[in-house]
Amino acid sequence: VQLVESGGGLVQVGKSLKLSCTTSGFTFNDYAIGWFRQAPGGEREGVSFINVGTDLTYYGSSVKGRFTISSDKAKNTVYLQMNDLKIQDSAVYYCSSNWAAASKWVLNTLASDYDYWGQGTQVTVSS
């Protein structure tokens, strides 16, 4: 199982970034993919989640209306489109997987529910 994040970088307040999480080694449609972030000294925070099999999505309150999660089943990839970025969005962003074939209409949002993790990609928003 492998998850690889990409797309992070340095952007100004109000701009956009699109993160990618490319996966391999498991049946993509049987999983939920979650995006988490962690700022220095902070706890890991759930950002957005998608059940790949049903396209059920969930957003944390701090990003709702600004971020959009989506999946490309042909590429085994999940994206996180981040618009109107704020200083407080700066963090390392991780994607992770959660087997969800038996619970396609329920999304787990705790980090402890997720099994495999990518290495993370840094997002820095500057003024």
Side-chain angles (χ1 to χ4, degrees):
V1 176
Q2 192 173 20
L3 298 95
V4 179
E5 303 95 338
S6 61
L10 173 65
V11 293
Q12 290 184 317
V13 169
K15 299 297 186 182
S16 300
L17 274 178
K18 187 173 185 178
L19 305 183
S20 299
C21 173
T22 302
T23 73
S24 61
F26 58 90
T27 304
F28 193 54
N29 278 14
D30 286 345
Y31 279 75
I33 301 296
W35 283 99
F36 294 81
R37 66 187 182 187
Q38 190 165 18
E43 294 185 355
R44 192 161 292 192
E45 173 192 7
V47 174
S48 185
F49 305 85
I50 185 168
N51 184 301
V52 176
T54 61
D55 289 329
L56 178 67
T57 60
Y58 175 85
Y59 297 92
S61 58
S62 61
V63 306
K64 198 169 186 178
R66 300 187 297 122
F67 290 11
T68 302
I69 192 169
S70 62
S71 69
D72 184 332
K73 295 175 178 58
K75 296 182 178 179
N76 286 1
T77 298
V78 169
Y79 302 100
L80 185 68
Q81 176 67 47
M82 306 186 297
N83 297 330
D84 190 22
L85 283 162
K86 304 178 185 302
I87 298 286
Q88 53 264 43
D89 293 320
S90 298
V92 178
Y93 282 70
Y94 301 90
C95 65
S96 59
S97 63
N98 168 239
W99 186 77
S103 55
K104 288 185 175 295
W105 298 106
V106 176
L107 275 173
N108 292 319
T109 61
L110 297 178
S112 57
D113 292 323
Y114 285 74
D115 307 306
Y116 295 95
W117 295 78
Q119 81 289 350
T121 186
Q122 177 71 49
V123 172
T124 303
V125 185
S126 68
S127 57

